[in-house]
Amino acid sequence: MSDASPSRMTRLAFLLLAAGLVCGPGWAQVETRGNGTEASPVVEDVPPIMSFPSPQADRGMPGAPAPEAPEQVVAGMSSDAVSITTNFDGSEILLFGAVKRQAPVPSGSLLQVIATVEGPSRSVTIRRKSRRFGIWVNTESVVVGAAPSFYAVATTAPLRLILDADEDAIYRISIPTAMRAFARPVNVDDPVDFTEAMIAMRIAEGAYRLDDGAVKLVDDTLFRANIRLPANLVEGTYKTRIFLLRQGRVIDSYSAPLEVRKVGLERWLYHLAFAQPLLYGLMSLLIAALAGWGASAAFRAFQRD
């Protein structure tokens, strides 16, 4: 094989140099894994695309912290946990606190306080019954994405007079705004009627409550509120909130968790029912059989006497 001419070698060298420039280390490489899927691109020595200011350039001052509210709420609870036992018939939580100020009490508007206690939320299906062929049947339904299992609102004055509607929509303070969006497309013409019916039923049951004037405010500084918890509480983490308002606007708020847990035999049976339902069912049948046999034996002994 004859040697290549110098001109051909020169052209070949230029081609190799051009290939090195095009396929150099600045390009990303895609690796293929053993299962046939492509890995993320591996980039080596990629020059920066964005330009950054030099060390001498003015980068601006760090963001200043948000100014503190002129009035701040400092609050607490009588207890941060509620224990549900076999003889539990309800409880009462005391919310108390004070207003912290760095200046004299503002004049020209009244200070108002709102306290709320919200239980764990659940999806709720609301059905409407209609009379069909002489019997009542479910005809329409609406599913609320999340509705609190318990919700109580206590205020220093009527809620409709001290809370602006826009603030209510932001903080979800009133009972209707505590409901979350519908979980699926609504196929009824009046979905609000369904939620109003559910709220009315839960108010009648004591699960939802609005207590206007239940918060006692002393000298625009000290406040307290007693909130009654019903016997049929749902286990979980409850959320307590306290709002300070002036002229319908929220100026500060406070939030803290309240743990509601079953204890003792009640807790053991509750977890057994979900963790081992077969064992729970067999144990229930055995207890029922023993109770029936005991009652029968006692009745026969009573007859013989």
Side-chain angles (χ1 to χ4, degrees), residues 19-97:
L21 292 176
V22 173
C23 301
W27 277 69
Q29 301 176 6
V30 180
E31 297 178 352
T32 303
R33 298 174 179 169
N35 56 5
T37 60
E38 292 184 349
S40 301
V42 179
V43 182
E44 300 178 357
D45 301 332
V46 179
I49 299 175
M50 299 177 61
S51 60
F52 296 92
S54 64
Q56 293 77 20
D58 184 11
R59 297 174 182 267
M61 299 298 294
E68 293 185 352
E71 295 176 292
Q72 297 178 340
V73 57
V74 181
M77 294 184 295
S78 58
S79 176
D80 59 358
V82 174
S83 299
I84 300 178
T85 59
T86 53
N87 58 350
F88 180 76
D89 60 351
S91 180
E92 191 172 72
I93 294 297
L94 172 63
L95 302 179
F96 58 90

Side-chain angles (χ1 to χ4, degrees), residues 20 33 47 54 63 69 77 81 97 117-118 121 167 181 195 198 208 245 249 272 284:
R33 298 174 179 169
S54 64
M77 294 184 295
V117 177
E118 180 179 352
S121 295
E167 296 289 289
T195 57
M198 185 198 70
Y208 290 174
L245 302 95
R249 300 287 179 178
L272 180 65
S284 300

